[in-house]
Amino acid sequence: MPQLRIALAQVNATVGDLAGNAAQVLAWAGRAAAQGARVVVFPEMMLTGYPVEDLALRASFVTASVAALGDLAARLAADGLGDLAVVVGYLDRRAGMQPRLGLPAGAPQDAAALLHGGQVVITSAKHHLPNYGVFDEYRYFVPGDTLPVFRLPAGRGGGAPVDVAIAVCEDLWQDGGPVAVSCQAGAGLLVVPNASPYEQGKDDSRLLLCQRRAAEAGAPLAYANMIGGQDELVFDGDSIIVDAGGRLLARGPQFEEALVVADVEVAAADLSRAAGREPADAADGTAMTIRRVVLSPAGPGAGAAPVPPGTPEPQALWPRRPDLDEIYAALVLGVRDYITKNGFSSVLVGLSGGIDSALTATIAADAIGPDRVHVVLMPSRYSSDHSVGDAEELVKRQGLNSRTVPIGPMVDAFDAELGLHGLAAENLQARVRGMILMSLSNEHGHLVLTTGNKSELATGYSTLYGDSAGGYGPIKDVPKTLVWALSAWRNEQAAARGEVPPIPENTITKPPSAELSPGQLDSDSLPDYPVLDKLLDDYVEKDMGSAELIAAGHDPALVERVIRLVDRAEYKRRQYPPGPKISAKNFGRDRRLPITSRWREPLPGADR
Amino acid sequence: MPQLRIALAQVNATVGDLAGNAAQVLAWAGRAAAQGARVVVFPEMMLTGYPVEDLALRASFVTASVAALGDLAARLAADGLGDLAVVVGYLDRRAGMQPRLGLPAGAPQDAAALLHGGQVVITSAKHHLPNYGVFDEYRYFVPGDTLPVFRLPAGRGGGAPVDVAIAVCEDLWQDGGPVAVSCQAGAGLLVVPNASPYEQGKDDSRLLLCQRRAAEAGAPLAYANMIGGQDELVFDGDSIIVDAGGRLLARGPQFEEALVVADVEVAAADLSRAAGREPADAADGTAMTIRRVVLSPAGPGAGAAPVPPGTPEPQALWPRRPDLDEIYAALVLGVRDYITKNGFSSVLVGLSGGIDSALTATIAADAIGPDRVHVVLMPSRYSSDHSVGDAEELVKRQGLNSRTVPIGPMVDAFDAELGLHGLAAENLQARVRGMILMSLSNEHGHLVLTTGNKSELATGYSTLYGDSAGGYGPIKDVPKTLVWALSAWRNEQAAARGEVPPIPENTITKPPSAELSPGQLDSDSLPDYPVLDKLLDDYVEKDMGSAELIAAGHDPALVERVIRLVDRAEYKRRQYPPGPKISAKNFGRDRRLPITSRWREPLPGADR
């Protein structure tokens, strides 16, 4: 069988930056050619970034994407890359189609194109549109109904022509459609641009999926995924090439840009299948068409040069990150990209001496460097000595920019006017701190990072406009127990490298407290976090009702209490800043519940 | 032709309140029977409220809805209403169906049922699932593929049996599907439960739609819509009955509960069409089935009694509200229902003497009574005399509960620690006010109403955690020019009724100012509001790009400046509280844009 060198460019696109994204395609295509690749695959919606949300409905944006694609094809050829087959995702429109209600007249499509010889040779669009979890693609796109197949001529090194089919992301996750049609089309290789957001454990299902679909397509499969942060999403890369038997040939790094290159045995094209259109059975109840094009043979001197003997093998297999490493890397990338893509150069964190703000500051320092991390210590009369000491120790260990603003005078000024009690007095302290952070942000241009964790966000154990104030919440999708685990892991990593552990040990081991009243502990208001987090995982992420929760072994009284806390805190979550998603269901686009709701999970024995 | 008396119950359902909603069905069905109706139609998702969002994915909630439906059928019969044909919307599941990726195993459906004789006689589900604007139904539901038709026996007063078909809401807005099949089924009447949210002018398109679909169905059409507020949505009622020729027979009031009753000429059923299932052509590319059931004839003494001679005609046609009246009523209902359905008994508004807070307080007073509206005047050194005077005058005119808290001491306490300048100093004042409101809310249990208007929200002319703080934003979807128009209209209405106009004239006529620095006016930072609002309408609601905006006559420099303001303020809008939608596109579920975006609308002559 002919051997084909293919490259997957897992790069970091930015939403809306058509010029910057196109420049990245040019640069990485050059690298792919230099490594002898004949095909390079970029992620889904590479040119526009992903997800573009309602920008897909704006005519000027779709027009700009289509224009940028044509321009890119010409520039690739002008750069001597015309013989490289470049598969790239972009936003297109389907002219002449009457779209569904709610879609603009130029029905938008999540499209992929093959660029070759200075031309946009063939285009297609995603057939299966995900509309669950964080995805709303049925809102934006009309589905594609064409499987494009391009015949790549024999390379300069000989061999035979090969047929390559293109599918897009979700087309791999759902049965039927492009994968089934790829098999009917006799494609020798299926390439798949993706923008697949990270969540814990997704890498495992992704590999199994690629293996299964390669078997169904009867061909090797090359899966190219984006990396980078976009609001709440983090794309992890993890690009994959498997052969038709499911053997792993190449796998990219997680959360880093890379060119993943491998030589793949690809069946020679059946030359009796001519260019043109053929109807196909998508096996999902829809009609699809195979559209086959034959690329012009490489001219003399064109095509990839044979790799000179002695050239080191291109990198194909990167080491996998262990679980905590992977989560931590996701948080760092999400935070870094939110900061830099939004034009900030520094961040501000309120440091309490507790574990949440310690981990948040550490992630920020790892993301953009400690010199760009500013912290404020805001002690009150209820702050313990160890809180201030632990915060100062963290500052010292990491070399952060620190400032102390005691909140007493400001709290007193409010209290003198308003005379607050109980919860109102507690919230006042948190809000004075939030105001100090926002004031310093306005004065100096820092982005305020919010320090709340997922357990707090779930139960509403936070103050609106107080500790929830800020532009981005690095650990909003991290349950408290995982906050501890990540902190311990980060310290161990440092120790293993002979560095000073960044987080003071006392911050990790002491009992958590909001320190808003004398001797207050989280455990006064909430169950122990291991118990709470397990229950929250079952209620929030697994969407179990009360009967299921109790059947799963949770304490009935606790089920009632925690469900009530979670349900009542919906209004707070609506006003919380975004933060990186690392779980299967984050508090954001993943979970959409009404604020106004009288639904109460039925309790055992209750007659309702 | 037989004459049939039908009733549309446009009632106020509450999301999640299965017991309360069922009790409403019982009560209104009793009223319908008392008025001699043989069929009563309730809104879409009447039993669960609408929209239930991700509650549709929770098994316990679907189970409870199905159980509540069966229970309701039995209770109707027990109440002597077994002979009344009750059409009611609820949440169901489609057992045995393999749903799409992302949907739970018991594929949820937006369903409607006919309750009769103590039984759930027949059920069906919405065929067309809206997934645009504020709707995400493709996320939640699998589509229905059955058109149910029930044959109502001749009434006690004689006549002939009639066939009645049921479609649900969006089935009316899209071509093909249930309307087409209703015609094939020879139904003599098409009844349609709806949960159709208000927006300006929608009532006009709704009537035209009913007329067109009645013509297509070849039968009278009865459209029952919900009323009430649910987070950002306000349902306006406006239920409609038209005959097959499009003649308006009945139309309910807007924003009020009502029973809309009319006698409709309905073709007699074709008795050769037997009970059972027949395949149909949905004319939209999908396969549908007609399912016909025949209800048992009314027993002796059963069925609606003939209306005694001399009984006054039931009300069928309510007067229409003029445009400003309609918008104001929507705001009042949205605010009232958010307050009461969330269990609050009072609200708190920061009163500046300006038009936004004046209108907000007035809406609140109209919603829940002035005795439950608390206001705080929070003057600063930059507050003009007229601001305080105008605010005090408003308090006096409406009889609100008022308190004054000068912000000077608190601002000084922050300033002494932080030494803020420019924008940071301005924001500080707004945030001190926000904190005072939130502190008083925590102390006294009032819901804080946010006073920002849509023009501010669009351009980011507000302070995060300052004037944007609060639980609900009554005028967040109201552009500034409309704020003035509504205020003037509300005063005129009062004057026409011989009441004191609630809003001081000076508040309406003076130039708007945030009063955060000496002599500050909105016009220092923003174009004149009539110019701005026109541009915002074209950019935000009509989604025009810069070239279109300039072609539409907007000043190019202003287009660039305003687009930039709008795009940069996305992060602020994400943390804004909900508020009632009155426009075709609100800042909420209607408009979903990334925060992180480098997209800049291309400017004329710019080379990009």
Side-chain angles (χ1 to χ4, degrees), chain A residues 60 133 139 231 421 443 596, chain B residues 60 133 139 231 421 443 596 601:
Chain A
S60 58
R139 175 182 176 89
D231 290 350
H421 307 85
E443 186 77 18
T596 305
Chain B
S60 59
R139 175 182 176 90
D231 290 349
H421 307 84
E443 185 77 18
T596 304
E601 278 293 326

Side-chain angles (χ1 to χ4, degrees), chain A residues 15 54 58 60 133 139 230-231 342 421 427 431 435 442-443 465 470 575 592 595-596 598 601, chain B residues 15 54 58 60 133 139 230-231 342 421 427 431 435 442-443 465 470 539 575 592 595-596 598 601:
Chain A
V15 163
D54 279 10
R58 193 174 305 166
S60 58
R139 175 182 176 89
Q230 170 61 30
D231 290 350
N342 282 295
H421 307 85
N427 283 334
R431 290 202 182 102
M435 271 193 65
N442 288 158
E443 186 77 18
Y465 318 134
Q575 297 192 41
R592 308 179 190 179
I595 296 176
T596 305
R598 294 212 184 125
E601 278 293 326
Chain B
V15 163
D54 279 10
R58 193 174 306 167
S60 59
R139 175 182 176 90
Q230 170 61 31
D231 290 349
N342 283 295
H421 307 84
N427 283 335
R431 290 201 182 104
M435 271 193 66
N442 288 158
E443 185 77 18
Y465 318 135
Y539 182 55
Q575 297 192 41
R592 308 180 189 178
I595 297 176
T596 304
R598 294 213 182 123
E601 278 293 326

Side-chain angles (χ1 to χ4, degrees), chain B residues 513-528:
Chain B
S513 165
E515 297 196 335
L516 295 172
S517 61
Q520 186 178 45
L521 292 177
D522 288 14
S523 52
D524 302 339
S525 307
L526 296 175
D528 282 350

Side-chain angles (χ1 to χ4, degrees), chain B residues 23-56:
Chain B
Q24 290 217 69
V25 173
L26 272 176
W28 287 91
R31 280 168 220 152
Q35 295 208 16
R38 300 202 53 219
V39 179
V40 58
V41 186
F42 286 88
E44 179 183 10
M45 297 281 267
M46 172 70 213
L47 262 189
T48 54
Y50 179 92
V52 299
E53 305 186 43
D54 279 10
L55 285 175

Side-chain angles (χ1 to χ4, degrees), chain B residues 139-412:
Chain B
R139 175 182 176 90
Y140 299 121
F141 302 124
V142 297
D145 56 7
T146 302
L147 182 84
V149 178
F150 61 92
R151 183 164 298 163
L152 200 61
R156 195 155 56 163
V162 295
D163 280 346
V164 182
I166 308 171
V168 181
C169 200
E170 187 77 3
D171 291 342
L172 223 53
W173 291 86
Q174 301 204 24
D175 291 330
V179 175
V181 174
S182 175
C183 185
Q184 292 163 37
L189 172 67
L190 178 60
V191 301
V192 190
N194 296 270
S196 172
Y198 171 70
E199 62 188 49
Q200 287 169 68
K202 198 170 186 182
D203 51 340
D204 300 330
S205 44
R206 211 178 259 150
L207 176 59
L208 289 170
L209 181 74
C210 287
Q211 291 169 326
R212 180 153 67 92
R213 297 308 188 194
E216 288 173 23
L221 188 153
Y223 175 104
N225 193 21
M226 192 173 274
I227 76 131
Q230 170 61 31
D231 290 349
E232 297 217 320
L233 302 184
V234 185
F235 300 93
D236 56 335
D238 187 35
S239 300
I240 290 169
I241 304 175
V242 292
D243 71 14
R247 193 166 57 95
L248 184 65
L249 302 179
R251 191 156 195 187
Q254 295 166 283
F255 309 105
E256 291 166 32
E257 289 194 323
L259 194 71
V260 182
V261 182
D263 294 317
V264 183
E265 304 280 336
V266 178
D270 173 358
L271 300 179
S272 70
R273 295 180 186 244
R277 294 175 179 276
E278 314 157 35
D281 173 16
D284 66 355
T286 64
M288 283 189 70
T289 303
I290 298 163
R291 188 172 161 220
R292 197 184 308 272
V293 292
V294 176
L295 303 185
S296 337
V307 184
T311 307
E313 278 295 301
Q315 186 163 3
L317 287 162
W318 273 256
R320 313 292 307 153
R321 292 175 185 265
D323 286 353
L324 291 172
D325 184 334
E326 172 186 298
I327 295 166
Y328 193 83
L331 298 174
V332 168
L333 179 56
V335 169
R336 181 191 301 133
D337 275 8
Y338 192 86
I339 295 167
T340 57
K341 290 181 178 178
N342 283 295
F344 289 95
S345 56
S346 57
V347 299
L348 184 64
V349 182
L351 214 61
S352 70
I355 187 79
D356 295 327
S357 58
L359 181 62
T360 301
T362 306
I363 290 167
D366 286 339
I368 59 169
D371 54 312
R372 298 207 274 152
V373 177
H374 298 252
V375 301
V376 199
L377 282 62
M378 297 173 283
S380 78
R381 74 193 71 163
Y382 305 124
S383 298
S384 53
D385 292 343
H386 63 74
S387 292
V388 177
D390 292 341
E392 286 170 346
E393 175 65 20
L394 183 137
V395 167
K396 200 179 80 181
R397 291 187 181 195
Q398 301 196 32
L400 310 179
N401 306 285
S402 168
R403 169 173 185 173
T404 298
V405 182
I407 64 171
M410 290 159 273
V411 171
D412 291 346

Side-chain angles (χ1 to χ4, degrees), chain A residues 351-355 357-358 377 384-398 400 502-511 515:
Chain A
L351 214 61
S352 69
I355 187 79
S357 58
L377 283 62
S384 54
D385 291 344
H386 63 74
S387 291
V388 177
D390 291 342
E392 286 170 346
E393 174 67 19
L394 184 137
V395 167
K396 199 178 81 181
R397 289 187 182 195
Q398 301 196 32
L400 310 179
I503 300 173
E505 196 56 29
N506 192 45
T507 291
I508 300 179
T509 53
K510 68 185 173 187
E515 296 197 336

